[in-house]
Every structure is written in structure tokens, then in C-alpha cells.
């Protein structure tokens, strides 16, 4: 039985769950109707206006979690949300490595996983998922964002989208513990928006350009460049297609 904490409005579901992480059980979820300080990857903000989408975070502090397999949690989130949204909308949802969901070439969902450590030892990971469900428009600075409503003309129940995703997330984390990260990358490859495309990755201030060739079993992306192949790890890079968002 999962413990769920609902908020009408909260600063950030990730922040809230990180504050609670040491005292609440594995699997606890924080779900909010809107966030006043939603956070994205690489220090960005995440727009979370009332009624626009699903914002939720889930705590992972299973004793099978290690620093190595924790890298796979972002893929558990992506696969879970892709399955849930595909089922809700009937649309083809793709995964842009490492942590965006794409519909019709635009960003539908973002994922932010943050971990807490005791010295070197991983204590927990908070996985935050933001889904653009019912937004009717986005500000001009987000030209690559879309919502399920914009793409289908229908409105969606944000709590149902969150609960559907969380149920699938539990199944993918079991797969991660039992079969390893390579099993998840094998499931992502056929629905990847990234593989085979010309990409540029910004890593430690350096730009790497090439063709996204393969997802490796440790979750990193192999990019074939003019100088040879380079693998980049998910937490450290921003990947953009050379000719648009993906
Ligand atoms: C990204 O695409 O940069 C990641 C966006 C993650 C947004 C979600 S919304 C729920 C959770 N709470 C946050 O503050 N961020 C994540």
C-alpha cells in the first residue's frame, strides 16, 4: 500500500519529498495540482500552472537500490510515464534520452531524479515527473513544449495520470533490480526519439556532435563523432538534435 501525500499547491514535489525522505517509507509519493517553484534538470525551472498538468514525485529507498542501479530510475520513470500516456491517449510516445517524453516532436514530460547520500552511501532517490496534460498554450520561451490536450483535443485527469504512472513505475523498478539496467535500455531502444539522429551533447562545457548510435547497458548514450565514438552519461549532459528539439 503506497502512502500518498496530496497538495493543491506546493513549492516543488521533489523538494517536499526530499525533506520527508528520511522519515517516510519507500514508495511514498507526493502529488500536487500545481507547483510554485517546480524544478527541472540542469538548474532550469519547470512550469507548473494550476490545471495544466501532473506534477508528482516518488521516493525510492529500497534496500536493493545502489549507486549503480539508481542511474536506471530515470528510465523506469520514462518507460512508466510513456506506457501510461500511450494508454490514456492512444498516441505514440517516444523517449528522448535520457529523460524527456516526446509527442509529435515536442516535449510532453520531463523527469528529475535527485539522490541523498550518507557519506558515499546512497540513501534514497526522489524521482519527479512533470507531465503536460491540459495546457492550452505555452510561453514563447518554450517553443518545443506540448500537452496531451494540444495534441488530442481532450482533457485528462492529472491524478489518474500520476497513479497510472506510479503503478507502472513499481513494475519497472522490480525489473531494474531483478534483470539490470540493460533490460530497460533494451525496452527504450525501439521507442527512442534519439537513436539514429544527429545530436549535440553539452558535457562539462564542451560540445560533442555526432550520431546517436546506441544505448549502452549502463544507460549511457554512445555518440559516433568524426573523431570516434564517445559515451555520455545521463546525469551530466543535455542532448539536442541538430535540427530541432529531438
Ligand atoms: C526537466 O525536464 O528538466 C525535468 C522536469 C521535472 C519536473 C518535475 S514536476 C514534479 C517534480 N517536482 C519538481 O520540482 N520537478 C519534478
Amino acid at each position: 500500500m503506497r502512502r500518498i501525500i496530496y497538495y493543491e499547491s506546493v513549492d516543488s514535489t521533489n523538494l517536499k519529498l526530499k525533506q520527508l525522505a528520511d522519515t517516510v517509507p519507500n514508495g511514498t509519493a507526493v502529488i500536487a495540482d500545481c507547483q510554485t517553484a517546480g524544478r527541472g534538470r540542469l538548474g532550469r525551472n519547470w512550469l507548473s500552472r494550476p490545471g495544466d498538468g501532473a506534477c508528482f514525485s516518488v521516493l525510492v529507498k529500497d534496500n536493493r537500490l545502489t549507486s549503480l542501479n539508481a542511474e536506471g530510475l530515470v528510465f523506469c520513470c520514462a518507460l512508466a510515464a510513456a506506457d501510461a500516456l500511450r494508454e490514456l491517449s492512444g498516441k505514440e510516445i517516444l523517449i528522448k534520452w535520457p529523460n524527456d517524453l516526446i509527442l509529435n516532436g515536442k516535449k510532453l514530460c520531463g523527469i528529475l531524479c535527485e539522490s541523498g547520500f550518507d557519506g558515499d552511501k546512497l540513501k534514497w532517490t526522489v524521482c519527479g515527473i512533470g507531465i503536460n496534460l491540459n495546457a492550452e498554450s505555452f510561453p514563447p520561451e518554450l517553443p518545443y513544449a506540448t500537452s496531451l490536450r494540444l495534441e488530442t483535443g481532450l482533457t485528462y485527469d492529472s491524478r489518474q495520470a500520476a497513479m497510472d504512472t506510479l503503478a507502472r513505475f513499481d513494475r519497472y523498478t522490480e525489473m531494474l533490480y531483478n534483470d539490470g539496467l540493460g533490460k530497460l535500455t533494451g525496452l527504450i531502444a525501439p521507442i527512442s526519439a534519439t537513436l539514429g539522429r544527429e545530436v549535440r551533447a553539452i558535457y562539462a562545457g564542451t560540445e560533442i556532435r555526432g550520431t546517436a548510435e546506441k544505448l549502452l547497458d549502463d544507460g549511457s548514450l554512445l555518440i559516433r563523432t568524426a573523431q570516434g565514438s564517445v559515451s555520455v552519461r545521463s546525469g551530466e549532459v543535455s542532448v539536442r538534435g541538430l535540427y530541432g528539439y529531438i
Side-chain angles (χ1 to χ4, degrees), residues 12-14 35 38-41 46 55-57 100 107 110-112 128-130:
S12 147
T13 56
N14 266 33
Q35 301 179 116
R39 291 143 41 85
R41 278 180 82 231
W46 179 259
C55 314
F56 56 102
S57 303
D100 291 345
K107 178 162 171 169
I111 297 158
L112 175 66
I129 302 178

Side-chain angles (χ1 to χ4, degrees), residues 66-182:
T66 66
S67 295
L68 280 182
N69 64 23
E71 298 234 356
L73 290 174
V74 69
F75 302 122
C76 294
C77 294
L79 284 163
D83 286 356
L85 297 177
R86 190 182 310 114
E87 207 155 292
L88 276 177
S89 67
K91 296 285 180 187
E92 188 189 36
I93 312 285
L94 300 178
I95 297 177
K96 173 178 173 279
W97 185 93
N99 69 328
D100 291 345
L101 296 191
I102 304 296
L103 175 52
N104 294 336
K106 293 189 166 185
K107 178 162 171 169
L108 182 67
C109 165
I111 297 158
L112 175 66
C113 294
E114 302 180 276
S115 294
F117 294 84
D118 189 1
D120 281 351
K121 194 179 168 348
L122 179 67
K123 281 199 298 182
W124 45 256
T125 299
V126 164
C127 297
I129 302 178
I131 304 171
N132 299 328
L133 282 176
N134 297 320
E136 290 184 274
S137 63
F138 288 92
E141 61 275 18
L142 297 174
Y144 296 121
T146 193
S147 71
L148 222 45
R149 179 171 185 172
L150 283 172
E151 302 298 330
T152 65
L154 302 173
T155 53
Y156 296 86
D157 181 330
S158 62
R159 291 191 181 180
Q160 188 192 341
M163 296 309 292
D164 288 356
T165 302
L166 288 169
R168 287 164 175 85
F169 176 77
D170 290 345
R171 281 185 240 140
Y172 283 116
T173 51
E174 281 305 312
M175 204 180 273
L176 173 67
Y177 298 137
N178 296 330
D179 307 314
L181 216 161

